[in-house]
Amino acid sequence: MKFLSVISLCFLLCLCVHSVLSQNANTPPRGWNSYDSFSWIITEEQYLQNAQIISDQLLSQYGYEYAVVDYLWYRSLSGGSNSRGNDCIDEWGRMHPDAKRWPSSVGWNGFKNVADKVHGMGLKFGIHLMAGISTQAYDANTPILDTTTGKAYEESGKVWHAKDIGIPERACKWMDKGFMALNVTSGAGKAFLKSLYQLYTSWGLDFVKLDCVFGEDLDFDEITYVSQILKDNKSPIVFSLSPGVGATPDMAKKINGVVNTYRVTGDDWDQWSQVVSHFDVARDFAAANLIGAQGLNGKSWPDLDMLPFGWLTDPADNEGPHRLTNLNLVEQQTQMTLWCMAKSPIIYGGDLRNLDSWTKDGVIINPTLLFINSNSSNNTEACESFLLLLGRIFFSSIVAEGSSNGIRAWIATGNNGGQTPQGRISTLLFSI
Ligand SMILES: *[C@@H]1O[C@H](CO)[C@@H](O)[C@H](O)[C@H]1NC(C)=O
Ligand SMILES: *[C@@H]1O[C@H](CO)[C@@H](O)[C@H](O)[C@H]1NC(C)=O
Ligand SMILES: *[C@@H]1O[C@H](CO)[C@@H](O)[C@H](O)[C@H]1NC(C)=O
């Protein structure tokens, strides 16, 4: 089998001076996330080393600006990725970084020092959170902090605890020992969420990836309430939902206005079949006009997931990173082309300390693709027979005889950073 991606473009650039509205996630967020290379076991040192490389090599010219710590930063390495009772929680049932892995958090400092360092590098700081309440807080039946009084939350003459708001029958399906949904319609449930986000935003967050809350795990109440809390934060916070197993455009239309990105597939790993499966999904969300639709304090973007290139680990692995991506260069270029053309967030997943030049120069800093990712509109899969025919003529030697879905074409308009459209970009994505 062989795979190709071919791009053809023609556009004129308007050189007039303009001011871009300052909005949250005005273009698809771009950065790095620790999951594909470290699963959950990353340490402060490894994280800061990666952040420094983003800052040195990918920030100013290429716009990679978010450095996101993925899940279980609060779990001791003696626990597993779905274990009970191995987390660091405070007296109010809130997660704090595991101090063995995150030494600067000692003394309940949280991620404050790490966020300060990341901001000092010119980057934006992000963390992953699980929806609901932790099983450990539920088991310990911790009281709930009332942020308006600084004391335990009281209502109807009683002090409320974790067991009054946790819903054990709704454990997170893929981490049933770790988290369960909470009752967001109760005053105590709302108070708990406020107490969580008051703590986390005090660390200096710019990006929150909230997990076990979208697709099959949809919790509309929690998404809406968290969004309301984040909306009023003094600096903008990008609000990202995941995962997207079973997500549909209709579901997305109910929440896109209160978030900035939402995953539209399950986890994407480095298998060609998984890349291929994103073509139809990307087409459907584009056709529903969801790319760049209204979002929280700005815009929203269907998220095709991180890019599993370079030096990686495996899902839920307690070791790593320890292997190279399974995708060859052309497969990676095809994936990057679709992600950019569909205006997905561009979040690199490989360990940057082992970033090789063909991944960097050949894929993730391609200026044309990055331009399209930021500066195009009306992005859509094209079924114009003319484009497909053109593809067949150009690539007749490699298109399999009689192959019906060997060629996928996408088109978009170049918009030069939001100004009057100045031309047309067309991309042919090509897979056989
Ligand atoms: C959630 O809280 C509301 C208000 O206190 C209550 O009426 C409802 O029964 C609770 N739901 C669950 C599932 O506990
Ligand atoms: C998008 O367009 C603006 C305005 O021309 C430009 O400054 C910016 O570099 C472009 N973005 C990318 C990623 O090329
Ligand atoms: C998008 O396409 C529509 C219909 O072809 C066109 O009217 C509109 O101007 C385009 N918008 C942009 C921003 O390119």
Side-chain angles (χ1 to χ4, degrees):
M1 286 215 288
K2 201 164 168 46
F3 318 99
L4 272 184
S5 105
V6 177
I7 308 153
S8 70
L9 335 149
C10 48
F11 51 88
L12 296 163
L13 293 185
C14 166
L15 296 174
C16 47
V17 181
H18 65 278
S19 62
V20 177
L21 281 176
S22 125
Q23 274 196 324
N24 203 16
N26 198 33
T27 56
R30 190 175 297 166
W32 179 81
N33 173 297
S34 59
Y35 179 66
D36 289 348
S37 42
F38 292 91
S39 183
W40 63 281
I41 61 169
I42 191 165
T43 64
E44 180 167 339
E45 188 186 16
Q46 292 163 332
Y47 169 77
L48 289 174
Q49 286 167 346
N50 271 279
Q52 190 63 55
I53 297 167
I54 308 170
S55 170
D56 292 344
Q57 299 187 30
L58 298 173
L59 173 65
S60 57
Q61 251 185 301
Y62 307 109
Y64 287 78
E65 57 179 349
Y66 291 95
V68 181
V69 183
D70 212 283
Y71 76 151
L72 300 181
W73 39 266
Y74 34 78
R75 184 152 300 170
S76 156
L77 285 179
S78 54
S81 63
N82 184 16
S83 62
R84 189 166 186 144
N86 298 104
D87 297 341
C88 179
I89 64 171
D90 66 14
E91 58 180 315
W92 306 109
R94 303 177 298 185
M95 326 307 290
H96 284 254
D98 166 34
K100 279 228 173 90
R101 286 189 287 144
W102 301 90
S104 76
S105 70
V106 166
W108 304 105
N109 276 324
F111 278 131
K112 183 83 184 68
N113 294 323
V114 172
D116 286 349
K117 281 189 184 153
V118 166
H119 291 149
M121 296 175 195
L123 299 174
K124 294 182 171 159
F125 178 64
I127 59 172
H128 175 291
L129 295 170
M130 293 290 290
I133 184 166
S134 85
T135 313
Q136 192 168 328
Y138 185 87
D139 290 345
N141 204 21
T142 47
I144 291 158
L145 173 65
D146 182 340
T147 54
T148 56
T149 63
K151 299 192 183 118
Y153 181 85
E154 287 184 44
E155 190 187 315
S156 314
K158 75 162 191 170
V159 172
W160 290 65
H161 291 83
K163 286 194 177 167
D164 299 318
I165 59 167
I167 310 175
E169 311 83 68
R170 285 179 53 209
C172 175
K173 287 194 210 79
W174 49 268
M175 204 199 288
D176 60 345
K177 297 197 174 91
F179 286 84
M180 63 182 78
L182 67 83
N183 187 347
V184 185
T185 59
S186 66
K190 288 193 174 70
F192 180 70
L193 288 175
K194 267 195 211 154
S195 77
L196 288 186
Y197 286 88
Q198 185 194 58
L199 174 69
Y200 300 145
T201 55
S202 76
W203 294 341
L205 286 189
D206 306 296
F207 186 108
V208 169
K209 174 182 169 189
L210 186 60
D211 220 330
C212 210
V213 78
F214 192 52
E216 283 179 344
D217 308 294
L218 185 68
D219 188 335
F220 185 70
D221 290 337
E222 180 155 351
I223 294 170
T224 317
Y225 195 66
V226 170
S227 172
Q228 220 173 302
I229 298 172
L230 297 179
K231 191 177 177 45
D232 298 328
N233 198 56
K234 55 186 186 308
S235 59
I237 296 186
V238 166
F239 185 24
S240 162
L241 305 182
S242 125
V245 182
T248 61
D250 281 344
M251 187 187 286
K253 282 180 180 166
K254 296 198 176 78
I255 53 90
N256 75 271
V258 300
V259 305
N260 301 109
T261 88
Y262 46 91
R263 280 269 298 287
V264 293
T265 61
D267 286 0
D268 171 72
W269 280 92
D270 51 327
Q271 300 295 333
W272 175 244
S273 59
Q274 299 199 12
V275 179
V276 170
S277 72
H278 283 74
F279 278 79
D280 285 352
V281 178
R283 174 199 62 202
D284 294 346
F285 281 80
N289 286 322
L290 282 159
I291 297 177
Q294 177 68 43
L296 170 65
N297 290 336
K299 293 188 177 171
S300 63
W301 310 96
D303 178 4
L304 301 180
D305 203 8
M306 282 90 73
L307 296 160
F309 305 155
W311 194 242
L312 303 177
T313 187
D314 293 295
D317 204 340
N318 285 25
E319 269 187 280
H322 52 72
R323 66 178 181 89
L324 265 181
T325 182
N326 287 313
L327 298 171
N328 66 35
L329 183 57
V330 177
E331 291 167 343
Q332 293 178 51
Q333 286 167 334
T334 305
Q335 178 166 8
M336 183 75 181
T337 306
L338 176 65
W339 264 231
C340 286
M341 198 62 183
K343 301 199 72 152
S344 170
I346 296 296
I347 310 287
Y348 185 70
D351 182 1
L352 291 163
R353 300 170 309 170
N354 279 302
L355 180 62
D356 53 276
S357 65
W358 55 270
T359 306
K360 184 181 173 198
D361 302 327
V363 189
I364 66 168
I365 63 167
N366 181 308
T368 307
L369 294 181
L370 294 180
F371 181 91
I372 292 171
N373 183 244
S374 303
N375 287 337
S376 61
S377 55
N378 275 357
N379 307 52
T380 178
E381 184 172 309
C383 38
E384 290 146 17
S385 50
F386 146 75
L387 277 175
L388 299 175
L389 186 67
L390 198 68
R392 291 219 166 77
I393 292 167
F394 271 119
F395 308 111
S396 54
S397 59
I398 36 183
V399 173
E401 192 69 38
S403 154
S404 57
N405 65 355
I407 299 175
R408 307 295 284 261
W410 276 69
I411 53 167
T413 312
N415 69 2
N416 193 30
Q419 297 302 292
T420 320
Q422 294 298 312
R424 181 176 167 96
I425 301 173
S426 64
T427 298
L428 287 177
L429 295 159
F430 198 78
S431 63
I432 49 174

